[in-house]
Amino acid sequence: MSPQGWRAPGRGLKDLTGDGGVRKEELHPGTGPTVPQDASVAVNYFGFLEDKDKPFCTHLDSKSSKLMKLGTDITLWGLEIGLLTMRKGERARFFFTPSYAYGAMGCPPLLPPNAMVMFEVELLDFLDTAESDLFFDLTAEQQESFQLEKVLKIAETERECGNYLFRKKLFRSAKDRYKRALSILSRSPSNEAEQHQLSTSQLLLLLNLSITCLKLGRPAQALAYGEQALKIDQRNAKALFRCGQACRCMAEYEKALEFLVKAQHIQPFNMDINEELKKLASCYRDAVEQEKETCRRMFASLSLPPSDQK
């Protein structure tokens, strides 16, 4: 998305507020539901003053480290109203009168009084985090009063936030989200069905944490999370695979082979597992050759020079 500069509002704009305060022109349709109240959004936008080609404000998701929450990170009234009408993938142009933008005072010296502004907006993604955000503002005692179904939903929202951050390669932030989700799943189940629900949710988070730690260059932590996942499901091929990767990174080749062979036995045609076994074999050969070379040099340094012949 690149800024197009101010364009005068044309006919047929949709009046979102009934008083002409926020008008919308759809540039490209989106898909799925519209953004819910108090959601967190991944968005690109450019703000323009009337008759100006250079934006006075810019937000690009590619440079941002987090989702933006409506009402907290996005506080411009008109922009919030506009975003609540958008769908994922949509691009739109919004025109705001001063009362829905920066008011009669403006924002000197950047914005003059009673400024009419236009925003070009692209909605990349959104997550309905309202319930999750409220939950984590509560005390531990208050959180305990929530029904399991509600807690599982909140944990899944946090996991989705972590996945979004992971896709953006923000691995440290993703790890924090996954850990926060896992922290609320330590409650004791009241029956077998609840135990199954908790274990399923925990397993997904432990697998996510394992790969995230690998991305962060922390194989020991990756192994620990992978082994926790195996306590839930000892035949989980992905957990075995992650443990094998972690062990290879730590040069624990025999242990890595044990994990990977088990994973391959469960999923014999999994290309990732088979490729990891090839990497492991290569690492092992290199380690053996390096050890031979080290020994050769050590013994060479210990050998005595031949005596002078007379």
Side-chain angles (χ1 to χ4, degrees):
M1 180 182 179
S2 58
Q4 300 296 315
W6 172 272
R7 293 186 183 182
R11 295 182 179 180
L13 296 183
K14 186 175 182 180
D15 184 354
L16 301 183
T17 54
D19 59 0
V22 180
R23 290 174 292 168
K24 176 181 179 180
E25 177 187 1
E26 185 181 279
L27 303 176
H28 184 275
T31 58
T34 57
V35 175
Q37 197 78 33
D38 297 323
S40 296
V41 299
V43 64
N44 294 329
Y45 64 72
F46 300 92
F48 296 89
L49 281 169
E50 191 170 5
D51 298 326
K52 300 293 182 181
D53 291 328
K54 186 177 180 180
F56 67 86
C57 72
T58 299
H59 175 83
L60 294 176
D61 179 71
S62 60
K63 296 181 180 179
S64 175
S65 62
K66 66 173 186 176
L67 291 160
M68 300 183 73
K69 185 169 176 62
L70 299 184
T72 302
D73 301 306
I74 296 177
T75 55
L76 192 70
W77 189 17
L79 182 56
E80 186 171 356
I81 291 171
L83 281 165
L84 290 171
T85 70
M86 297 186 74
R87 304 173 192 276
K88 190 182 298 185
E90 181 179 343
R91 287 189 291 111
R93 188 176 292 123
F94 298 95
F95 296 86
F96 307 140
T97 59
S99 58
Y100 288 90
Y102 299 95
M105 296 291 292
C107 188
L110 184 63
L111 301 172
N114 291 308
M116 176 82 171
V117 297
M118 183 267 286
F119 273 69
E120 291 181 11
V121 183
E122 180 182 22
L123 179 66
L124 304 174
D125 204 351
F126 69 85
L127 290 171
D128 187 358
T129 59
E131 197 170 35
S132 175
D133 293 332
L134 286 172
F135 179 85
F136 284 104
D137 284 338
L138 300 174
T139 65
E141 185 178 349
Q142 290 171 321
Q143 290 177 2
E144 282 293 327
S145 67
F146 276 61
Q147 295 292 323
L148 179 61
E149 291 296 330
K150 188 79 72 176
V151 173
L152 290 171
K153 181 182 176 183
I154 290 165
E156 179 59 20
T157 298
E158 286 297 297
R159 191 176 77 88
E160 289 175 358
C161 287
N163 290 346
Y164 165 81
L165 293 164
F166 186 94
R167 291 192 296 270
K168 292 188 68 176
K169 303 186 186 304
L170 299 167
F171 302 122
R172 197 179 303 277
S173 296
K175 181 185 176 185
D176 290 341
R177 286 285 191 170
Y178 295 143
K179 287 182 68 177
R180 188 159 85 148
L182 191 62
S183 71
I184 65 174
L185 298 177
S186 58
R187 58 175 56 198
S188 300
S190 59
N191 53 53
E192 190 173 334
E194 286 192 356
Q195 179 61 67
H196 177 72
Q197 289 177 299
L198 283 167
S199 295
T200 300
S201 185
Q202 289 168 342
L203 180 61
L204 291 173
L205 288 163
L206 289 167
L207 291 172
N208 286 351
L209 280 163
S210 184
I211 181 133
T212 303
C213 288
L214 284 172
K215 294 292 186 180
L216 288 168
R218 298 174 181 174
Q221 289 185 16
L223 177 61
Y225 284 122
E227 289 179 329
Q228 286 183 58
L230 289 173
K231 289 179 181 178
I232 296 173
D233 180 5
Q234 63 181 356
R235 287 182 53 80
N236 188 282
K238 188 170 286 187
L240 290 164
F241 174 61
R242 298 291 178 229
C243 289
Q245 284 182 301
C247 288
R248 176 180 62 80
C249 291
M250 294 187 291
E252 295 183 9
Y253 299 132
E254 291 185 7
K255 195 172 179 181
L257 181 62
E258 182 181 346
F259 281 121
L260 292 171
V261 167
K262 287 180 180 178
Q264 188 186 51
H265 182 73
I266 296 166
Q267 293 185 2
F269 302 110
N270 186 301
M271 292 182 61
D272 291 334
I273 295 171
N274 292 329
E275 283 298 316
E276 185 64 25
L277 279 165
K278 291 178 184 178
K279 288 182 184 178
L280 178 62
S282 177
C283 289
Y284 182 75
R285 285 194 300 270
D286 291 345
V288 169
E289 288 300 319
Q290 187 175 358
E291 186 175 355
K292 287 181 179 178
E293 179 64 18
T294 300
C295 291
R296 187 190 67 77
R297 291 180 179 179
M298 182 179 68
F299 284 112
S301 66
L302 292 174
S303 62
L304 297 174
S307 59
D308 294 333
Q309 295 181 359
K310 294 184 179 179

